[in-house]
Amino acid sequence: MSRPPSTRVRVLLDPGDDVAVTAGLLARHDPAAGVVVVHPTPAARGVVSLAHDLLAALGLSARAAAAIGGTRSAWLAAAAWVSGERVEHLVVLRADRLEATCWVHLVGLVHSARIRLLLVCHVRVIPAHLGAALRDVEHEVLTEPPALATARPTRSTPAAGRYPPLPARLPTGQVLHYRADVYRQHHWNTFTRVDDLYSRGLDAACTWLRHRAGPQPGRTADERVQAFLTALVHDSPTRQHTLALLRGVQAGFLLHGQWLAVPAPGRLSGPGLTSTPMTADVVERIRAGVAHPLLAAGVALALFTGINLRSLRPLRADALPQPAHLVRIPFRYDDALAESRSTFGSGMPRHATAVVSVPHAARPLLRAARAYLLSRSADPRQRVFEGISPMIPRIEEAAAGCGIPLPEAAELIGAWQLRTRWARLDEPVHTDRHDTTGPPPADGRFCLAARPVTPDPSTAPPYRHPDDELRKRWSPLNAPAFLPGLVRAYLDGTEPTMRGYYDHDDQPPYADELRRADMVAHHLAVRVQPEHGGPDRITVHPDIAFALRLTDQPAPPAQ
């Protein structure tokens, strides 16, 4: 037997069975802080019973623990959950009443899970048959309860009430007009609720972009962006809340001279659209109903990824890397069903990786699953659910046993984060608006544009882009002078192949000409009649400045 590190195994002798000692140790039980105290079932001395007691101390129900199986399965599960919960101290009361094989399994847990073990014995000396289990193990005998210091605080839980109620139907347009559409179409109270989420997304984008390199040319569905976006929306309760956050993120990217394409929700799936927020209550219900680490992880993955179980079937152990903050799900176009390819396949790559940020509350479940897998085989390419057969019915049955409905979600080909695109448009215009030098503001947001601002009329001269095929002068009017260039860069980035877009192109067909005129004259800009006569000028559509929180009002409703 390999020797655990020094002093990781300690035996506390309490021959008087002092009530204060037992009560004091039981009071230290706090799995979230890394301290687990096991009180073995009276009159039960066997290894299977002890494994079930350990699982119960970790918060799993006795019914779920009993369903795991025999000795090996029970201890593999117990070791996995101890690793998943990052237990630092394991205290076993009345350890002198256990069988020697129980001590052997506990010592093995010290080695596999890197914990500190305290065996409490209510005798004057360690019984010989139990001492034999420690013969080759360096250990320490104590007569006073030791300190059980841990290096981490109690696990935090998501704040309640972060999301205000929103109507079931809200505008779904793109970022340039989304905020203005909400302003024009809904009551002020609804707009302020949506705008709070919008500004939260804008602030998150500015914070995230501040110290990040720009997009890589030709890269689609950038994994960094996927991780950031899914972390932002994983606890969003509805599609409306998610879209408000994502449109705010897009505004933040624009302020940094970058374009982030995010699709309209439609029938798509994924975090924030078809997922279930992983609150502490949901996780506790999973742990109380499912003791098998792989089944528990399967339920959790189906909930927070928002994709169907069929798409999770090929998941491998190396898709759950430590420290379990991200899950990477390989996507192959040919693996999708024909019906899914017909519905969602337009514009999708042949191969990609869907990245999902793991909610904090769900991370112990995935760590436990990874530990369970690697305890059976060291192969990182093994399928996560290979030993669960039939996979889909068993995970659905496990979720039903927890009283948790699984989302109605599409295959991975319908995941929205695979459709995100990140591109550079122009020079950043927001570098001096993010202030982190002083104390945090009262609303927790550093980005100045994430809070209401005073309109900033510009006196800059009219702007003309050298390639402006309209032969008209851009006039900033009441918009900052950088906006025309940003809008033109947006056109360059989103419509690079439009015929007749550049001066040197041949005369465009009538349909293309109308399309270009509609995009510029209605979507991006408006024509303005100068006060003192002369030719019309075009200026940035008021909705765009409103989207970037640079003005107080958008364009008026269309007549």
Side-chain angles (χ1 to χ4, degrees):
M1 179 182 294
S2 58
R3 177 174 296 182
S6 178
T7 70
R8 285 193 172 272
V9 178
R10 294 175 289 183
V11 181
L12 172 62
L13 299 180
D14 176 30
D17 197 0
D18 191 338
V19 174
V21 171
T22 301
L25 290 172
L26 286 171
R28 296 297 310 278
H29 177 71
D30 186 2
V35 179
V36 174
V37 181
V38 181
H39 197 301
T41 302
R45 301 170 179 267
V47 290
V48 175
S49 177
L50 180 60
H52 292 174
D53 290 334
L54 174 52
L55 290 170
L58 287 166
L60 289 86
S61 70
R63 176 185 60 83
I68 290 182
T71 301
R72 184 173 185 273
S73 297
W75 277 96
L76 282 176
W81 284 111
V82 166
S83 296
E85 291 291 341
R86 291 180 173 172
V87 173
E88 296 181 34
H89 294 278
L90 176 61
V91 179
V92 181
L93 303 176
R94 307 199 179 283
D96 55 293
R97 301 183 181 182
L98 300 174
E99 296 176 351
T101 50
C102 292
W103 282 40
V104 172
H105 279 84
L106 289 169
V107 171
L109 201 59
V110 171
H111 176 76
S112 63
R114 306 295 296 171
I115 62 171
R116 295 183 182 275
L117 174 66
L118 177 63
L119 300 166
V120 182
C121 298
H122 303 291
V123 292
R124 294 186 181 278
V125 295
I126 301 175
H129 70 288
L130 297 177
L134 302 180
R135 183 174 298 128
D136 297 324
V137 178
E138 187 170 349
H139 61 280
E140 183 180 3
V141 178
L142 308 175
T143 57
E144 295 290 338
L148 303 177
T150 60
R152 61 190 173 95
T154 299
R155 186 185 306 127
S156 60
T157 56
R162 289 186 60 204
Y163 291 94
L166 294 180
R169 295 182 65 86
L170 284 171
T172 60
Q174 275 295 336
V175 60
L176 301 179
H177 299 278
Y178 171 81
R179 185 171 182 249
D181 287 342
V182 176
Y183 181 92
R184 288 187 289 258
Q185 298 175 24
H186 290 270
H187 190 275
W188 176 254
N189 289 338
T190 298
F191 172 75
T192 55
R193 293 172 185 171
V194 172
D195 202 43
D196 177 71
L197 296 169
Y198 186 94
S199 62
R200 188 190 305 175
L202 191 154
D203 187 67
C206 292
T207 303
W208 188 80
L209 287 168
R210 186 169 176 80
H211 299 295
R212 289 223 171 31
Q216 300 178 10
R219 172 72 66 88
T220 60
D222 190 291
E223 293 186 14
R224 295 172 296 167
V225 170
Q226 291 189 65
F228 163 59
L229 295 178
T230 56
L232 182 67
V233 304
H234 68 74
D235 59 347
S236 173
T238 72
R239 289 172 173 258
Q240 288 72 32
H241 294 83
T242 298
L243 189 61
L245 288 167
L246 294 178
R247 293 298 184 243
V249 168
Q250 289 179 280
F253 271 66
L254 278 172
L255 285 167
H256 285 265
Q258 301 180 45
W259 173 246
L260 177 66
V262 177
R267 299 171 59 187
L268 298 178
S269 295
L273 298 185
T274 53
S275 61
T276 298
M278 294 295 293
T279 63
D281 176 66
V282 169
V283 172
E284 288 307 311
R285 289 167 65 185
I286 295 175
R287 291 157 52 84
V290 186
H292 196 299
L294 299 185
L295 287 176
V299 174
L301 283 164
L303 293 176
F304 73 77
T305 63
I307 61 174
N308 67 14
L309 291 173
R310 184 180 182 276
S311 297
L312 297 176
R313 194 193 301 273
L315 204 63
R316 303 184 317 196
D318 56 7
L320 311 176
Q322 296 286 22
H325 293 175
L326 297 174
V327 172
R328 292 178 170 86
I329 308 173
F331 166 73
R332 293 180 68 251
Y333 183 88
D334 293 338
D335 288 344
L337 296 175
E339 181 181 357
S340 298
R341 292 199 298 267
S342 174
T343 304
F344 303 109
S346 178
M348 292 296 293
R350 308 299 296 183
H351 300 272
T353 299
V355 177
V356 182
S357 175
V358 181
H360 188 89
R363 292 173 188 175
L365 306 184
L366 268 62
R367 287 197 296 263
R370 176 183 170 84
Y372 186 86
L373 288 167
L374 297 182
S375 67
R376 298 188 312 175
S377 169
D379 182 8
R381 298 176 61 85
Q382 61 180 305
R383 295 282 183 91
V384 172
F385 301 109
E386 187 172 359
I388 304 297
S389 181
M391 171 209 163
I392 294 177
R394 288 194 62 185
I395 293 177
E396 290 175 338
E397 180 183 359
C402 301
I404 301 175
L406 295 182
E408 295 184 5
E411 290 188 75
L412 187 59
I413 194 173
W416 65 266
Q417 68 268 32
L418 283 176
R419 290 165 165 76
T420 56
R421 300 292 184 269
W422 180 21
R424 184 178 180 275
L425 293 180
D426 212 341
E427 292 300 318
V429 296
H430 206 212
T431 54
D432 60 344
R433 300 188 64 84
H434 193 291
D435 181 15
T436 58
T437 59
D443 60 5
R445 298 173 189 171
F446 284 103
C447 179
L448 300 182
R451 297 188 291 274
V453 296
T454 303
D456 182 23
S458 174
T459 57
Y463 173 89
R464 180 178 178 182
H465 194 284
D467 290 334
D468 189 355
E469 47 79 27
L470 292 175
R471 305 292 186 187
K472 298 288 187 180
R473 294 183 301 172
W474 280 98
S475 173
L477 295 184
N478 290 333
F482 68 82
L483 274 182
L486 188 63
V487 168
R488 179 57 193 253
Y490 166 81
L491 277 175
D492 290 343
T494 58
E495 297 289 336
T497 61
M498 182 184 291
R499 295 181 61 185
Y501 183 72
Y502 296 103
D503 284 343
H504 54 75
D505 288 343
D506 295 333
Q507 184 68 23
Y510 183 65
D512 277 350
E513 187 175 5
L514 287 180
R515 180 180 175 209
R516 183 182 65 250
D518 180 71
M519 283 191 64
V520 175
H522 300 292
H523 185 55
L524 301 174
V526 292
R527 294 186 180 276
V528 178
Q529 178 68 40
E531 295 181 3
H532 305 292
D536 289 351
R537 294 186 297 180
I538 59 172
T539 188
V540 172
H541 197 294
D543 283 5
I544 299 177
F546 189 70
L548 302 181
R549 300 183 67 90
L550 299 174
T551 56
D552 288 336
Q553 288 186 330
Q559 299 298 322

